[in-house]
Every structure is written in C-alpha cells, then in structure tokens.
Amino acid sequence: MTYRRDADDDAWLVEIEGMADVHTFGRTLDEAATNVREAIAVTVDDDPWQLELDEHFDVVDVDIDELARLRDQAQERQEIYLARQRAAALRLADAGISRRDSARMLGVSHQRVQQLVAG
C-alpha cells in the first residue's frame, strides 16, 4: 500500500496495490493504517490485526524506502559488530588480559567489557 499526502484535505490517502476498489484515508498515518486494515479486512473477510501491511510512502523528495533499507543494513551490521565484539572480549579474557586493558583495545568502557564477558 502507498500513502500519499493530500495537502488540500490535510490527510493521508491510501492506495492498495491489487485492490483498486479499496480506498481509504486518515488525518494521521496511524489513523490511515487503522482505516486501511479495516477496509482490507472487510474486503477479504479477515481479522484486521492479523494482516501484514507492506507500507510505502510517496512524499516529496524523500525516499523512505531507501532509508528503511539503510536502517535495516545498519541494524544487521550492528548485530555483527556486537557478536564480534563479544567474541573478542571473551578471547581477551581467556588470554588473561585485564578488563581495563581489553576496554582500551576494544574502544569501550571496562564496564562494557564486563557485560560482554558475563553475557
């Protein structure tokens, strides 16, 4: 589904791909999302809160989809970083290196090293 801002009506209009006969709107994105869930649910006779929505935003000069992809990539990299950071802290601890020295090498606080080793 695609949200488009209608400045004249001060509302978000929602188009649903593959459902040309289903239209709705809302003054806020949350209201529009609730309304679209209900409109789809009535059309397909399903629980509106069981529907998984694929939302897209058509707004002036802002590529929300690109930002979402970048956010997801950053999240994945963060998870990799944290896993490797913990593995490094564990290896350093196993090698008998102090928490403070490990912290200096890893660029974090000694408290963070303690969390990594304990967790």
Side-chain angles (χ1 to χ4, degrees), residues 21-74:
D21 296 340
V22 180
H23 302 279
T24 192
F25 72 98
R27 296 282 176 219
T28 66
L29 286 171
D30 287 342
E31 181 182 337
T34 297
N35 292 345
V36 80
R37 283 182 179 283
E38 292 172 358
I40 293 171
V42 167
T43 303
V44 299
D45 192 29
D46 198 358
D47 179 1
W49 301 107
Q50 297 301 317
L51 300 171
E52 187 173 324
L53 304 178
D54 184 17
E55 298 178 312
H56 299 279
F57 304 93
D58 185 5
V59 291
V60 178
D61 296 329
V62 177
D63 189 343
I64 299 296
D65 292 335
E66 178 191 22
L67 291 172
R69 282 190 301 279
L70 290 170
R71 180 198 60 229
D72 293 344
Q73 290 171 357

